[in-house]
Amino acid sequence: MPRGLAAEATALDDGDVLRAVRKEFALDDGTVYLDGNSLGALPRTVAGRLAEVVGDEWGRLRIRSWTESGWWEAPERVGDRVGRLVGAAPGQIVVGDSTSVNVFKAVVAAVRLAGPGRDEVLVDAATFPTDGYVAASAARMTGCRIREADARDIPGEAGPRTAVALVNHVDYRSGRLHDLAGTTAAVHAAGARVVWDLCHSAGALPVALDAHGVDLAVGCTYKYLNGGPGAPAYLYVRRDLQPRFDSPLPGWNSHTDPFAMDSAYAPADGAARGRVGTPEILSLLALDAALDVWDDVALTAVRTKSLALTDFFLRCVEAYAPEGRVESITPAAHAERGSQVSLRCADGAAGVMAELIRRGVVGDFRRPDVLRFGFTPLYTGFAEALRAARVLGEVLAG
Amino acid sequence: MPRGLAAEATALDDGDVLRAVRKEFALDDGTVYLDGNSLGALPRTVAGRLAEVVGDEWGRLRIRSWTESGWWEAPERVGDRVGRLVGAAPGQIVVGDSTSVNVFKAVVAAVRLAGPGRDEVLVDAATFPTDGYVAASAARMTGCRIREADARDIPGEAGPRTAVALVNHVDYRSGRLHDLAGTTAAVHAAGARVVWDLCHSAGALPVALDAHGVDLAVGCTYKYLNGGPGAPAYLYVRRDLQPRFDSPLPGWNSHTDPFAMDSAYAPADGAARGRVGTPEILSLLALDAALDVWDDVALTAVRTKSLALTDFFLRCVEAYAPEGRVESITPAAHAERGSQVSLRCADGAAGVMAELIRRGVVGDFRRPDVLRFGFTPLYTGFAEALRAARVLGEVLAG
C-alpha cells in the first residue's frame, strides 16, 4: 500500500494545475511546510518590492510618498485585491489594524445597526479566543450580553434578542468549515447581523461574501494569503451598510477630509470609513507584493486541490500511523472541511510535533492534544503530504 | 546681515556635537528636509535589517521565528527602547497598533480607573484631530461627556467630575510645548488621570514620564523616532497602574497565557497587557533597527541643538522674509517651544509651500494658512536652516 501511495502522489503532482505556483515561494530547504495556516511562506516578490519601498519611497521621496507613491490609498487598494479572493466587489474592504481590532469595529458597528431590544451578541463557542475576548468587550461597552453557541447551532440560536452573531468560517482548531450561506440566511431571518471571521478560509477556498449577503467580515492576511508576519488584517462592510457603519474607532484616517484637520468628526464614505490611524505601510506593502502570486490563480482550483491534498493526507496517515495513536477531528465530508487536517494525539502530542519539526515536517501543536497540518494549495504538493504522513508514522512508532 | 548669518551657520555646524549622526541617514540628495516631524528620514541600518527579517526570519525560519527570532516579545523589547527616550523605566511601554487605537485604550482605561462620579473627559481643544475623535468615542462608550479646554488651562479646568485629561505634549500645529510636569501634578491634585500624547515631543526633547508620575501616554514612532511610514505607535502604562489597567481591546496577545487558547480572558501582567492582536512584525522590526541611531545620543544634546536650530531659523526668517508676509505662531520662549517652527502665511500659504518643495526645501502646509518646518536635531544642520529661510524669502518675494 505505501508503494501505491507513492505512485499516486507522483501522479497527483503531475496533474496539479497549481504546481508551477510553488516556484514563486522561497521553499527550497527540503522542509515540508504545513504551517501556512499560521504563517504563510515568503513569496519571492516581497523582498525586492520592500527594498524599493524602503530605499526609494521612504528613503528618497520621504513624505512625498504619501501622495506620489500611493501610500494614502493603499488600504483601500489592497483591500480590493483581497476582495477578489473573498467574493467582495471593489469598495467594501479596507486593510489595516489587527484582526482583533477589526472584530471590535465590526461587532460594535453591528450592534449599532441592530433594532431596539436586540442586546445579545451570539458567539461561536469554539472561536479563536481573541474573537471571544473582544466580542465580550464590545458587548460590555454597548450594553449587550454574550451568549455562546456551537457554530453549527447558530442558525437556530439566533433570535429576537440577537443583535449580531460572530462566527468563524473555518474553525482554527478542528478545521471544520461552517455553512456561510445557510448561517447568514438564518441569522438574517432572525433579524440580526452576522460577522464572519475568515482567517482560516480566505485564500484556502472560495468565499462569497457579496453573493450571500454577508453584513460584515474580518480576516487576517498572514495565513493562506502569505502577507508576512503580523500582516495587517481587513474589514469588509457590505456596501449598503456603509452609510450606517458607526465605528467605535473613528480615527482621523476615516474622516471624509482628513487634512482639513477638523475638530468635528465626519466619516468618509465607503470602505475608508473602517480605517483608524496611519497604516503600517511597510507591512501593508509587503502584503500588497505577496498578493501578486494570486494574479492568475482561480479559487476553484485552490479548493479542488485543497480537498485532494487533505483527502490524500488522511489516507496516508491511515496507512502509516500506528493503529489508535491519532484520530482526525477534521470532518470527512468535503462540505465541512477547510484546508487543514487536525489529528488528536492523546499521548504526547507536543513531543510528537517537536520531533516532526526536527525531522523537517512543520505543522503545529494546539494544547492539549491537537496536531495541526495546514495544506496550502499554492505551494504544498502531494509527495509532501505523503512524506509528512510517513514521518509522522515513524515518530509515532519510534 | 545675511553674510553674518552664513558665518554663524558655519560656526554652529562646526560646533554641533550631533553632526556625525546625520551620516546614519539617507540624506544625500541636496534636499533640506524639514518634515521629520511628519515622517522621519530613513536610517541607513533599516534596509539591511529588513532584508534579513524578510529573507532569513520569515523566508527561512518561517513560523519558528515567533520564538527563535524573538518576534513574540518584540513589542515589549522595542517598547523598552522607546522607554529610554521618554523617561520610562523598562516594562512600562508596549509598541503596537496606531496612535489612534492607543488613545482609545488609554482613555477608556483611565476612565475605568477613575473614582465614582467622575464622568468627564477633558480634551486639549487644539488637539490633533484623531485624539479628539477617539476620545469622543471612548467617552460615548463609557458614559462620559467630553469637555474641551485650551491645553494651557487644563491644570485649572480639571475638577471633581474629571476622570481623565488628554493632552498633547507639543501642539502639532503651533509647535507649542505644554507643561507636562505642572499639568500632570494639577490633574492629579484634582483627583483625575492624565494621558499624554507624545507624538510631537518624543525624540525631539527629553520627556520624563516616570519622573513626573504620568499615568498613561501614547505616541507615534514615525516622526522624530524615524521608524518609517506608519510605524507602530506605543502605549505607556505606569507600573503601579498596570494591575488595574482594564483594556477595551483585550486581544489574545494581552492574555497571560496566549497559547493556552483559553476561552476565558485573563490579562497578562506588565506592559503586555496593552497588546491586542498579532503585531505587524515588518514595520515593528524596521522601527527596531531605526532606533539604533539613538544608541549614543543624549536627549539633552538633542534639546540644546533643537532650540539653537529653531532660534537660528527664526532669526534667518526675520532676515530674509519680506516684512509682514509671515508671522511665527511658535512660542518664542524656550520653555514653550517644541522642535518645529510654524509660520502663519495669510497670503497663499499652500502655493508657497509647493514652491518651497519644488526648490528643495521640504516642510508642510496645514490648512488654512500654516507653513510648518520641523527641525530634527539628529540630521538637520544650521546651514540648512539658513538655506530654508533664504529660499522662503525668495519664494515670498517672487
Side-chain angles (χ1 to χ4, degrees), chain A residues 26-29 31 33 35 38-43 46-47 50 53-55 57-64 66 71 96-101 104 108 112 125 128-130 132-134 137-138 140-142 148 172-173 222 226-233 246-253 255 257-266 276-284 286 290 357 362-364 366-367, chain B residues 26-29 31 33 35 38-43 46-47 50 53-55 57-64 66 71 96-101 104 108 112 125 128-130 132-134 137-138 140-142 148 172-173 222 226-233 246-253 255 257-266 276-284 286 290 357 362-364 366-367:
Chain A
L27 283 165
D28 339 336
D29 59 351
T31 298
Y33 189 64
D35 213 6
S38 190
L39 175 64
L42 169 67
V46 171
L50 206 51
V53 171
V54 170
E57 299 185 3
W58 174 14
R60 188 177 64 84
L61 294 176
R62 302 186 197 98
I63 194 69
R64 292 162 51 191
W66 280 107
W71 290 352
D97 304 309
S98 63
T99 305
S100 300
V101 168
F104 188 74
V108 170
R112 290 174 175 173
F128 184 79
T130 213
Y133 306 158
V134 172
S137 175
R140 169 185 176 188
M141 298 188 79
T142 54
E148 293 186 358
Y172 79 100
R173 180 186 293 268
Y222 48 75
N226 314 300
D246 181 3
S247 176
L249 293 168
W252 74 295
N253 271 232
H255 196 281
D257 186 5
F259 291 93
M261 304 283 168
D262 198 330
S263 64
Y265 181 68
V276 186
T278 304
E280 299 187 33
I281 291 295
L282 303 184
S283 286
L284 175 57
I357 292 170
V362 179
D364 63 23
R366 285 293 174 261
R367 296 184 215 168
Chain B
L27 282 166
D28 336 333
D29 60 352
T31 298
Y33 190 65
D35 213 7
S38 188
L39 175 65
L42 169 67
V46 172
L50 206 52
V53 171
V54 170
E57 299 185 3
W58 174 14
R60 187 176 65 83
L61 293 177
R62 302 185 196 98
I63 193 70
R64 292 163 51 192
W66 280 106
W71 290 353
D97 305 309
S98 63
T99 305
S100 300
V101 168
F104 188 74
V108 170
R112 289 175 175 173
F128 185 79
T130 212
Y133 305 159
V134 171
S137 175
R140 169 185 175 186
M141 298 188 79
T142 54
E148 294 186 357
Y172 79 100
R173 181 186 293 268
Y222 48 76
N226 314 300
D246 182 3
S247 176
L249 293 168
W252 74 295
N253 271 232
H255 196 281
D257 186 5
F259 290 93
M261 304 283 167
D262 198 328
S263 63
Y265 180 69
V276 186
T278 305
E280 300 189 32
I281 292 294
L282 303 183
S283 287
L284 175 57
I357 292 171
V362 179
D364 63 22
R366 286 291 174 262
R367 296 186 216 168

Side-chain angles (χ1 to χ4, degrees), chain B residues 292-315:
Chain B
D292 289 352
V293 301
W294 291 96
D295 282 350
D296 300 313
V297 170
L299 267 299
T300 47
V302 167
R303 177 61 168 164
T304 300
K305 182 175 173 188
S306 162
L307 290 170
L309 275 168
T310 51
D311 275 345
F312 185 65
F313 179 70
L314 285 164
R315 287 172 52 219

Side-chain angles (χ1 to χ4, degrees), chain A residues 159-252:
Chain A
R161 296 288 292 268
T162 308
V164 56
L166 172 63
V167 200
N168 294 278
H169 196 192
V170 171
D171 185 274
Y172 79 100
R173 180 186 293 268
S174 67
R176 177 180 290 278
L177 172 65
H178 294 121
D179 176 10
L180 187 138
T183 304
T184 300
V187 171
H188 284 175
R193 303 289 177 183
V194 64
V195 176
W196 283 96
D197 181 330
L198 308 177
C199 283
H200 288 268
S201 62
L205 47 94
V207 180
L209 294 177
D210 286 352
H212 298 305
V214 166
D215 301 295
L216 300 121
V218 301
C220 79
T221 63
Y222 48 75
K223 301 180 188 290
Y224 297 99
L225 299 183
N226 314 300
Y234 56 90
L235 172 70
Y236 166 89
V237 181
R238 202 179 65 216
R239 191 182 306 280
D240 65 293
L241 296 178
Q242 289 171 352
R244 288 185 289 150
F245 178 80
D246 181 3
S247 176
L249 293 168
W252 74 295

Side-chain angles (χ1 to χ4, degrees), chain B:
Chain B
M1 178 143 166
R3 184 162 301 165
L5 288 170
E8 194 175 341
T10 303
L12 286 164
D13 279 328
D14 287 345
D16 174 10
V17 299
L18 296 173
R19 192 172 192 178
V21 184
R22 180 186 172 95
K23 291 196 300 289
E24 300 183 36
F25 290 86
L27 282 166
D28 336 333
D29 60 352
T31 298
V32 178
Y33 190 65
L34 301 180
D35 213 7
N37 54 329
S38 188
L39 175 65
L42 169 67
R44 293 189 192 278
T45 53
V46 172
R49 174 68 184 126
L50 206 52
E52 179 182 62
V53 171
V54 170
D56 195 58
E57 299 185 3
W58 174 14
R60 187 176 65 83
L61 293 177
R62 302 185 196 98
I63 193 70
R64 292 163 51 192
S65 277
W66 280 106
T67 46
E68 295 178 30
S69 303
W71 290 353
W72 186 268
E73 300 79 11
E76 292 85 28
R77 185 177 57 74
V78 181
D80 285 345
R81 299 190 76 185
V82 172
R84 191 182 78 77
L85 303 176
V86 294
Q92 300 176 104
I93 290 187
V94 68
V95 172
D97 305 309
S98 63
T99 305
S100 300
V101 168
N102 283 302
V103 168
F104 188 74
K105 296 178 207 170
V107 173
V108 170
V111 167
R112 289 175 175 173
L113 285 166
R118 292 186 178 271
D119 60 358
E120 176 185 88
V121 176
L122 202 53
V123 177
D124 175 355
T127 188
F128 185 79
T130 212
D131 298 57
Y133 305 159
V134 171
S137 175
R140 169 185 175 186
M141 298 188 79
T142 54
C144 291
R145 68 196 171 89
I146 288 281
R147 191 157 62 86
E148 294 186 357
D150 187 302
R152 286 169 287 181
D153 298 334
I154 281 182
E157 292 288 341
R161 295 287 293 269
T162 308
V164 56
L166 172 63
V167 200
N168 294 276
H169 197 192
V170 172
D171 186 274
Y172 79 100
R173 181 186 293 268
S174 67
R176 177 180 290 278
L177 172 65
H178 294 121
D179 176 10
L180 187 138
T183 304
T184 299
V187 172
H188 284 175
R193 304 289 177 182
V194 64
V195 176
W196 284 96
D197 181 331
L198 308 177
C199 284
H200 288 268
S201 62
L205 48 93
V207 180
L209 294 177
D210 287 351
H212 298 305
V214 166
D215 302 295
L216 299 122
V218 303
C220 78
T221 63
Y222 48 76
K223 300 181 188 292
Y224 297 99
L225 299 182
N226 314 300
Y234 56 90
L235 172 70
Y236 166 88
V237 181
R238 201 180 66 217
R239 192 183 304 280
D240 64 294
L241 296 178
Q242 289 172 351
R244 289 185 289 150
F245 178 80
D246 182 3
S247 176
L249 293 168
W252 74 295
N253 271 232
S254 70
H255 196 281
T256 186
D257 186 5
F259 290 93
M261 304 283 167
D262 198 328
S263 63
Y265 180 69
D269 291 332
R273 190 175 285 210
R275 292 175 68 159
V276 186
T278 305
E280 300 189 32
I281 292 294
L282 303 183
S283 287
L284 175 57
L285 296 185
L287 164 63
D288 189 25
L291 291 174
D292 289 352
V293 301
W294 291 96
D295 282 350
D296 300 313
V297 170
L299 267 299
T300 47
V302 167
R303 177 61 168 164
T304 300
K305 182 175 173 188
S306 162
L307 290 170
L309 275 168
T310 51
D311 275 345
F312 185 65
F313 179 70
L314 285 164
R315 287 172 52 219
C316 292
V317 169
E318 200 176 315
Y320 286 108
E323 182 78 25
R325 288 296 307 283
V326 292
E327 170 203 15
S328 173
I329 60 169
T330 300
H334 284 181
E336 297 174 7
R337 191 194 304 164
S339 198
Q340 75 185 51
V341 169
S342 296
L343 302 177
R344 178 166 287 135
C345 174
D347 189 15
V352 169
M353 183 51 73
E355 183 60 21
L356 278 170
I357 292 171
R358 210 185 61 76
R359 298 189 193 188
V361 175
V362 179
D364 63 22
F365 162 65
R366 286 291 174 262
R367 296 186 216 168
D369 57 5
V370 173
L371 306 174
R372 291 199 316 176
F373 301 92
F375 289 85
T376 308
L378 294 191
Y379 54 73
T380 304
F382 294 88
E384 291 186 296
L386 174 66
R387 180 176 148 206
R390 182 175 51 73
V391 176
L392 173 64
E394 291 164 5
V395 170
L396 290 170

